Amino acid sequence: MAVSSVLGYPRIGADREWKKALEAFWSGKLGESEFQLQLQEIRLNHLRKQQEKDIDLIPVNDFSYYDHILDTAAMFGIIPERFAFEGGVVPLSVYYGVARGTKDAAASEMTKWFNTNYHYIVPELAGVTPSITENKPLTAYREAKEKLGIEGKPVIVGPLTFLKLSKGYSASETDAWLSRLLPLYVQILQELAEEGVQWVQIDEPILVTKLSDADIERLKIIYTTFAASVPTLNIMLQTYFESVEHYSDVVSLPVKGIGLDFVHGLSGNLQLIKELGFPADKVLGAGVIDGRGIWKASLREKLGLLEELTELVTAKNLIVQSSCSLLHVPVTTERETKLTSELKNALAYADEKLDELVLITKAIASGSEGIIEELEKCDRDLQALQQSEERNRSSIQQAVASLSNQQPERSRPFAERYAAQQSKWELPLFPTTTIGSFPQSAEVRKARQLWRKGEWNNEQYAAFIREQIDIWIKLQEEIGLDVLVHGEFERTDMVEFFGEKLAGFAFTQNGWVQSYGSRCVKPPVIFGDVAFTGEMTVEETKYAQSRTNRPVKGMLTGPITIMNWSFVRDDIPREQIAYQLAYALRQEVEALESAGIGMIQVDEPAVREGLPLKEEEQAGYLAWAVKAFRIATCTVRETTQIHTHMCYCEFHDMIDSIEAMDADVISIETSRSHGELIHSFELNTYKLGIGLGVYDIHSPRVPSVEEMTSMIERALRVLDPKLFWINPDCGLKTRGLEETAASLRNMVEATKIARSKHAALI
């Protein structure tokens, strides 16, 4: 008989109580004992909910105090030397220091979790001797059993994935590191087996990416060792986010179960099972409910898929589960009281996905006749949205179809634009700027709340925003920045702000998901055809420009980032959604230029995030991502300078595509991984304007002039000084006023030193 399971549950809580507890603890408003108690209660509530909904195999150890990869590193004592960790259980001060930085030590690098918008802390292996500090899965298992009577399924990040996502070791050291880690994993598993644990979920999402033959041999060593060391333990080797590579090798491993993604890896995984079969002695973890999307599943389609699978794998060897952890979706639709019924009825957050899992699992056992009513309601709900006016804007569909058949290009090549822009702006060597946003103080948030509640009218709110712009224009001039920004005080979020002003979007009340640490975002929902309805940023940008003689950048979020940081409709290709967004943004770019704004930044920090995990699909994605950016920006005059901003993620393998975007200036988030990016430019020439982030905005520490001078000098070894800009890593919205001003002053001072040193080269 099939059973239901889930790969992980959201940490943040329906009211973001997890986030609030973390931030209260960090600010000193909550003591450690009370903090621990609050997090325990949040954790137990999540388990109770799954228990009450009749999930058969409930995950434990999926909860985290910050990040599950950081948890794994801490469990093995893998703490960078600069934090002076002396062994034993990792204290919270050290744990959070690694994630956020301290006064004396920089935070570890943070990067994307595969192709999602979740960020993990990159383990640093250099100089570390690993050892078990605590058996976290065992502690989680005991808690669930003792407190709630739950026979939990401990979740552990697998050794191969952990190693492949870590840094601080060379390829030649991989086997040595595996030999250090493997006994520690064995001890963890043996202690779980001795405790009576039945199933352990070992996550190896790295198996959906391209691996070397050497890595496959390491995989075999890992799981052969586990089988010999803990023969009674049922291991579910779990993959997700795509179809598995090296299928024959993976299903031949001596484990009890193999978990496959039948949502994002549906065609590949299904075809592999059909062609190569599935071992009769193994359980298939069938990830049929989407752990990343918010749309209600078509229950008829899911049942049809499961019925097809039971012809290949017997029902008793089937676990019906989510495609990945539900970490990537909000908690419950129950709080969404303001959405239209047409839209709300088509949504499924984490709790609703639990219901879907239980429902289709029971249907596999007893037949679909018992859920006819649920099937018919599901059909009606999905059909109502599909037939809505919002999904059938013919004028937009026709315009985008025409644009998609063209090749958008600027009127002049970069060299000619550069000369024209230098003549117009007369910028100094190494121009300084920021990425866009400035600190959103409690006063700013309160003002926005008063306006949203209707206690302030539009005029009062606009006056307040102008006051904030005045303050920060004056401060930027005082600090000595060359190119200014208005500060984005009117914006809650760089995606939500634009979505609220475009047709085709909807906004939830409680659709929060974790991005990194306590940083939670509430992605807009792109549910219909996207359309421009009026100017979005012109008023504030034009006002800011009127307050200074220095150039002020217009600030927009690019089409790919808006798409990748939203929950998007799943009835048309993502490429078409990107072109709809680009067409709308083009109209805003043209409006800014018409208003006299001569520098316009169209941020694309999430381009890499949408890159397919399969290499054979990446070129196609990058081609239409570049095209979408160019659709949005190609119609401006040669003297109008187009900027963009990106977050660093293995820049070297997409440098050609980034250059093809043809932005006049790109700024890149690099401070946590500066050396790696410099190495990329040693191997690749970049011919357009570029600014590498010279300090980390994710940490509250104020970097010294010397630190930033060093970063500038390293960059200038491989980049053209005439094209080099100096800027922070990212927007400054989450930082405090004093630390922001101090950091920017140091940045300007470092720039002056660099100008003095390199002036003779120009």
Side-chain angles (χ1 to χ4, degrees):
M1 178 179 174
V3 298
S4 61
S5 188
V6 63
L7 306 191
Y9 188 81
R11 302 161 185 157
I12 62 175
D15 295 313
R16 290 180 294 159
E17 54 267 29
W18 180 85
K19 165 190 172 68
K20 295 168 187 175
L22 263 63
E23 293 178 352
F25 176 65
W26 294 340
S27 67
K29 296 176 182 177
L30 198 63
E32 184 166 333
S33 296
E34 180 61 25
F35 174 62
Q36 295 278 14
L37 287 173
Q38 285 194 19
L39 261 63
Q40 181 187 57
E41 187 54 31
I42 293 168
R43 186 166 60 244
L44 292 175
N45 281 337
H46 295 173
L47 295 174
R48 288 188 193 100
K49 186 177 291 187
Q50 296 171 75
Q51 185 181 42
E52 291 166 359
K53 287 183 176 290
D54 293 328
I55 295 294
D56 296 310
L57 279 175
I58 297 175
V60 296
N61 198 47
D62 58 320
F63 188 84
S64 177
Y65 279 42
Y66 195 96
D67 162 56
H68 59 283
I69 298 295
L70 176 58
D71 292 345
T72 307
M75 181 170 71
F76 295 133
I78 298 174
I79 302 296
E81 291 178 297
R82 62 186 176 276
F83 292 97
F85 173 60
E86 297 179 353
V89 175
V90 177
L92 289 180
S93 59
V94 172
Y95 177 85
Y96 286 127
V98 175
R100 307 176 69 233
T102 67
K103 181 181 178 181
D104 301 315
S108 287
E109 180 184 346
M110 179 173 64
T111 196
K112 306 285 186 183
W113 176 241
F114 292 85
N115 60 348
T116 74
N117 189 33
Y118 178 77
H119 304 65
Y120 70 93
I121 300 297
V122 180
E124 299 178 37
L125 305 187
V128 175
T129 301
S131 63
I132 296 175
T133 62
E134 58 178 321
N135 190 331
K136 290 176 178 287
L138 180 59
T139 299
Y141 173 80
R142 285 174 172 168
E143 179 184 65
K145 191 165 187 176
E146 292 169 5
K147 299 285 186 180
L148 301 173
I150 291 173
E151 182 67 38
K153 175 188 63 170
V155 178
I156 308 173
V157 177
L160 188 62
T161 294
F162 182 78
L163 267 177
K164 299 288 285 185
L165 298 184
S166 298
K167 63 185 293 186
Y169 69 103
S170 65
S172 63
E173 297 174 300
T174 304
D175 291 327
W177 263 102
L178 181 58
S179 69
R180 296 182 191 120
L181 287 174
L182 200 49
L184 306 183
Y185 271 94
V186 166
Q187 183 178 335
I188 295 289
L189 295 175
Q190 285 176 336
E191 291 176 3
L192 290 173
E194 290 168 5
E195 191 74 13
V197 170
Q198 298 300 305
W199 277 98
V200 172
Q201 174 184 314
I202 302 184
D203 286 355
E204 293 281 16
I206 203 71
L207 297 181
V208 306
T209 67
K210 187 175 182 179
L211 296 173
S212 67
D213 291 341
D215 284 330
I216 295 303
E217 288 306 308
R218 293 178 185 117
L219 183 74
K220 293 176 181 178
I221 291 170
I222 290 167
Y223 288 93
T224 300
T225 301
F226 288 171
S229 304
V230 281
T232 62
L233 192 62
N234 294 321
I235 292 177
M236 172 64 75
L237 176 61
Q238 186 63 55
T239 70
Y240 39 82
F241 298 148
E242 251 296 353
S243 59
V244 71
E245 297 279 339
H246 298 275
Y247 175 82
S248 296
D249 292 312
V250 171
V251 298
S252 299
L253 294 171
V255 294
K256 181 61 175 177
I258 304 288
L260 301 176
D261 185 336
F262 288 97
V263 177
H264 301 280
L266 171 60
S267 59
N269 281 331
L270 187 58
Q271 189 65 28
L272 286 166
I273 290 180
K274 286 181 176 179
E275 290 181 359
L276 302 175
F278 189 82
D281 61 342
K282 287 183 173 56
V283 171
L284 173 64
V288 297
I289 296 297
D290 190 358
R292 295 176 60 174
I294 60 169
W295 302 106
K296 180 176 287 187
S298 170
L299 296 181
R300 289 189 192 277
E301 289 182 7
K302 299 304 179 184
L303 280 175
L305 172 58
L306 287 171
E307 288 167 359
E308 189 172 2
L309 287 173
T310 56
E311 294 177 2
L312 305 167
V313 181
T314 60
K316 69 176 182 178
N317 282 348
L318 191 68
I319 297 178
V320 182
Q321 57 190 31
S322 55
S323 65
C324 62
S325 171
L326 301 181
L327 168 72
H328 308 286
V329 297
V331 176
T332 177
T333 64
E334 287 183 1
R335 312 289 181 85
E336 304 297 351
T337 60
K338 296 183 179 180
L339 296 176
T340 64
S341 58
E342 185 179 73
L343 177 56
K344 181 178 178 179
N345 289 343
L347 298 178
Y349 292 174
D351 288 355
E352 290 72 36
K353 291 178 187 296
L354 298 179
D355 293 333
E356 290 177 337
L357 280 168
V358 171
L359 192 66
I360 59 177
T361 302
K362 290 179 178 177
I364 287 296
S366 58
S368 60
E369 294 79 9
I371 61 166
I372 291 297
E373 185 177 340
E374 289 86 350
L375 290 174
E376 291 177 347
K377 182 181 185 305
C378 179
D379 291 343
R380 291 194 302 271
D381 290 341
L382 295 177
Q383 188 176 42
L385 181 60
Q386 193 60 29
Q387 295 176 345
S388 66
E389 292 182 9
E390 286 82 357
R391 286 197 169 181
N392 293 278
R393 292 189 172 96
S394 58
S395 61
I396 295 298
Q397 293 171 3
Q398 291 167 9
V400 168
S402 176
L403 281 175
S404 64
N405 291 324
Q406 304 170 15
Q407 184 55 46
E409 294 182 354
R410 294 286 294 272
S411 60
R412 295 286 186 272
F414 172 73
E416 295 179 21
R417 301 198 310 265
Y418 173 78
Q421 290 164 15
Q422 283 297 99
S423 176
K424 176 179 179 179
W425 299 111
E426 298 181 342
L427 293 171
L429 179 66
F430 310 142
T432 56
T433 188
T434 63
I435 303 305
S437 60
F438 280 128
Q440 296 219 349
S441 63
E443 183 184 14
V444 170
R445 294 193 297 272
K446 181 179 179 182
R448 185 182 301 118
Q449 188 177 45
L450 290 170
W451 174 64
R452 287 190 178 275
K453 288 181 176 179
E455 296 178 32
W456 277 14
N457 59 33
N458 290 342
E459 291 74 20
Q460 287 174 294
Y461 185 57
F464 173 82
I465 296 299
R466 288 194 294 270
E467 289 174 3
Q468 297 299 309
I469 292 172
D470 286 342
I471 291 169
W472 280 92
I473 289 291
K474 182 178 180 181
L475 184 56
Q476 290 174 86
E477 289 184 328
E478 176 193 320
I479 289 170
L481 295 172
D482 301 305
V483 175
L484 314 187
V485 296
H486 79 280
E488 304 179 19
F489 303 105
E490 77 284 7
R491 307 183 189 183
T492 54
D493 176 85
M494 65 183 293
V495 174
E496 181 181 61
F497 174 82
F498 291 96
E500 287 179 333
K501 297 175 181 294
L502 294 167
F505 282 77
F507 295 87
T508 64
Q509 293 164 272
N510 289 282
W512 297 99
V513 291
Q514 182 188 5
S515 178
Y516 65 87
S518 69
R519 169 69 171 161
C520 295
V521 294
K522 186 156 59 71
V525 179
I526 303 177
F527 74 101
D529 292 326
V530 177
F532 181 80
T533 60
E535 294 177 354
M536 299 179 280
T537 66
V538 173
E539 180 182 347
E540 292 83 9
T541 312
K542 187 176 179 181
Y543 175 78
Q545 186 63 82
S546 75
R547 310 301 289 176
T548 181
N549 292 324
R550 303 182 193 188
V552 174
K553 291 187 289 188
M555 302 299 303
L556 307 177
T557 304
I560 302 301
T561 295
I562 292 178
M563 180 183 70
N564 284 340
W565 286 357
S566 298
F567 289 120
V568 300
R569 55 193 291 190
D570 58 0
D571 63 311
I572 62 174
R574 293 173 72 87
E575 178 180 357
Q576 295 304 311
I577 299 169
Y579 292 160
Q580 288 184 3
L581 286 162
Y583 179 52
L585 290 168
R586 170 191 280 194
Q587 295 167 77
E588 180 68 10
V589 167
E590 292 171 348
L592 281 166
E593 187 181 55
S594 296
I597 304 303
M599 291 187 182
I600 302 171
Q601 183 168 312
V602 182
D603 287 342
E604 284 290 22
V607 166
R608 172 93 194 187
E609 186 174 303
L611 194 68
L613 296 176
K614 300 299 184 187
E615 287 188 3
E616 62 270 21
E617 299 174 8
Q618 292 175 359
Y621 164 80
L622 288 171
W624 59 256
V626 167
K627 188 171 186 177
F629 183 87
R630 292 174 67 145
I631 287 172
T633 59
C634 73
T635 59
V636 297
R637 294 186 290 270
E638 65 186 57
T639 53
T640 296
Q641 193 172 74
I642 294 295
H643 290 237
T644 190
H645 170 70
M646 288 186 181
C647 295
Y648 170 67
C649 286
E650 298 179 24
F651 186 91
H652 66 276
D653 64 358
M654 55 185 292
I655 191 168
D656 291 342
S657 295
I658 292 173
E659 219 173 315
M661 292 168 69
D662 203 22
D664 297 298
V665 181
I666 181 172
S667 57
I668 306 176
E669 180 182 8
T670 66
S671 65
R672 291 199 185 186
S673 50
H674 202 74
E676 290 94 328
L677 187 57
I678 295 302
H679 180 64
S680 294
F681 287 116
E682 290 172 345
L683 303 175
N684 303 276
T685 301
Y686 191 77
K687 301 175 183 178
L688 310 180
I690 187 167
L692 305 188
V694 296
Y695 77 89
D696 179 17
I697 65 88
H698 298 98
S699 172
R701 66 187 292 269
V702 175
S704 68
V705 173
E706 291 74 19
E707 282 181 59
M708 288 190 270
T709 299
S710 176
M711 283 199 170
I712 292 168
E713 291 303 321
R714 291 180 71 185
L716 290 175
R717 295 175 198 166
V718 292
L719 294 170
D720 186 342
K722 292 185 294 183
L723 301 177
F724 190 68
W725 288 61
I726 295 176
N727 47 261
D729 240 8
C730 206
L732 297 161
K733 172 183 174 181
T734 61
R735 301 271 56 92
L737 189 155
E738 291 184 4
E739 71 193 65
T740 295
S743 296
L744 291 177
R745 286 192 175 96
N746 285 356
M747 186 183 84
V748 170
E749 186 60 31
T751 303
K752 291 177 181 177
I753 293 171
R755 285 173 180 164
S756 175
K757 181 176 180 179
H758 294 278
L761 299 176
I762 305 303

